[in-house]
């Protein structure tokens, strides 16, 4: 269980070689002093995702915690499972509402979105011109097995590329678009129509400079990236496949086993993550609560910022 005081130095214990650390000795529902806040912030920047176990956060405590590290995002649309009195919190259940809203069972919706091994990897809201800086995810109910989340360190992945490939990637930009690669149903598909009616797209640098650490980050993911600007479709597909395989190499990843009361806090600017796809058949609930922190507009190695293409503007959700 959490300790009764937050005046001592948190115990940061790395769990994988390049990414992930568990933090012990902190009660996130308590009064965190500035030393503890600074220690947690430094751990997030160093290890990209940090984990806390046995926490007793409620919705109010979750939002209050997020405000210690930034400005929580207020989403204009949330599912019915999300708490109405806390607009900063988005709640996901074991069978996400989105598929059912468009006439599909969740497993079919998931298959149509993740039809390749790399398609599920993403940062949160990566099609926006200003993706969230960080996410704080809290587990309320989890199945007895399954339901793990995996994160990858995009700064380590970039550093692991050969020097010629790093130099090549440094000068590229790519289009990130909501719903890229979704395989529609035959005939009418309500979700495909929804994607067309709510398009969000931005052009981001393929390598962004982290605004706090100065690290170069391989800014790719399998869910939003559609096309590398200036390359042909075959060239773009080949380069993206190579870079995604690099980003998700096992040595750059960490996998977390959730328990009720677990909290994960990750840097959305320097990671991609893979939500679980192994729980739909288990018959056990998985209820998670998410708060995201507002982020900035990415900038590339050359200093050029990301550009909004459609459906997005800095600071407007």
């Amino acid at each position: 269980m959490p300790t009764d005081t937050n005046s001592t130095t948190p115990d940061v214990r790395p769990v994988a070689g390049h990414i992930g650390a568990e933090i012990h000795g902190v009660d996130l529902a308590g009064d965190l002093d500035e030393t503890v806040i600074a220690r947690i912030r430094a751990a997030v920047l160093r290890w990209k995702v940090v984990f806390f176990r046995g926490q007793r956060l409620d919705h109010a405590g979750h939002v209050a915690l997020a405000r210690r590290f930034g400005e929580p995002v207020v989403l204009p649309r949330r599912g019915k499972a999300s708490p109405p009195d806390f607009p900063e919190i988005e709640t996901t259940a074991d069978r996400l509402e989105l598929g059912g809203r468009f006439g599909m069972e969740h497993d079919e919706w998931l298959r149509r979105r993740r039809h390749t091994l790399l398609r599920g990897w993403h940062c949160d809201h990566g099609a926006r011109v200003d993706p969230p800086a960080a996410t704080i995810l809290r587990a309320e109910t989890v199945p007895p097995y399954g339901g793990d989340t995996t994160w990858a360190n995009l700064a380590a992945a970039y550093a692991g590329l050969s020097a010629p490939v790093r130099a090549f990637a440094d000068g590229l930009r790519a289009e990130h678009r909501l719903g890229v690669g979704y395989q529609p149903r035959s005939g009418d598909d309500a979700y495909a129509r929804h994607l067309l009616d709510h398009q969000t797209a931005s052009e981001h640098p393929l390598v962004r400079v982290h605004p706090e650490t100065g690290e170069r980050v391989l800014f790719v993911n399998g869910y939003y990236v559609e096309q590398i600007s200036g390359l042909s479709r075959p060239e773009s597909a080949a380069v993206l496949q190579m870079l995604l395989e690099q980003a998700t190499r096992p040595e750059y990843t960490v996998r977390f086993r959730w328990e009720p009361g677990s909290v994960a806090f990750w840097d959305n600017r320097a990671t991609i993550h893979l939500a679980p796809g192994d729980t739909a058949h288990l018959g056990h609930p998985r209820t998670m609560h998410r708060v995201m922190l507002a982020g900035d507009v990415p900038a590339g190695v050359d200093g050029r910022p990301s550009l909004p293409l459609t459906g997005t503007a800095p600071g407007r959700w």
Side-chain angles (χ1 to χ4, degrees), residues 65-229:
L65 171 68
R67 289 194 182 281
R68 300 300 304 273
F69 293 93
E71 182 61 32
V73 166
V74 175
L75 294 172
R77 293 177 298 275
R78 299 179 298 154
K80 290 182 291 186
S82 298
D85 296 334
F86 296 92
E88 304 89 350
I89 295 178
E90 185 175 29
T91 298
T92 60
D94 57 327
R95 290 179 179 269
L96 299 179
E97 296 177 1
L98 193 53
R101 197 187 312 163
F102 298 104
M104 283 179 279
E105 291 291 330
H106 176 58
D107 55 351
E108 179 189 353
W109 180 68
L110 202 60
R111 285 197 309 271
R112 292 185 179 280
R113 293 174 66 219
R114 295 191 192 177
H115 48 80
T116 70
L117 292 176
L118 298 174
R119 275 279 298 139
W121 287 93
H122 67 286
C123 63
D124 286 334
H125 290 273
R128 287 187 54 84
V129 71
D130 56 345
T135 298
I136 303 175
L137 186 64
R138 167 172 57 101
E140 178 182 322
T141 307
V142 298
Y145 54 90
D148 299 356
T149 305
T150 307
W151 288 263
N153 182 340
L154 298 179
Y158 172 83
L161 291 168
S162 65
V165 174
R166 289 199 304 269
F168 174 59
D170 283 349
L172 296 175
R173 297 169 71 86
E175 180 176 312
H176 296 230
R177 182 175 292 271
L178 180 65
V180 167
Y182 171 74
Q183 293 187 332
R185 286 174 150 186
S186 58
D188 184 58
D189 187 315
Y191 185 60
R193 284 190 283 107
H194 169 79
L195 290 174
L196 290 173
D197 291 342
H198 298 84
Q199 272 301 298
T200 303
S202 301
E203 185 188 68
H204 290 303
L206 198 63
V207 178
R208 72 174 293 183
V209 178
H210 195 287
E212 293 188 69
T213 68
E215 294 171 297
R216 295 187 181 186
V217 175
L218 185 60
F219 198 33
V220 295
N221 66 79
Y223 184 60
Y224 292 111
V225 182
E226 179 171 61
Q227 171 78 24
I228 298 178
S229 304

Side-chain angles (χ1 to χ4, degrees), residues 13 27 95 232 278 280 299:
R13 304 177 189 175
D27 178 1
R95 290 179 179 269
S232 70
D278 63 348

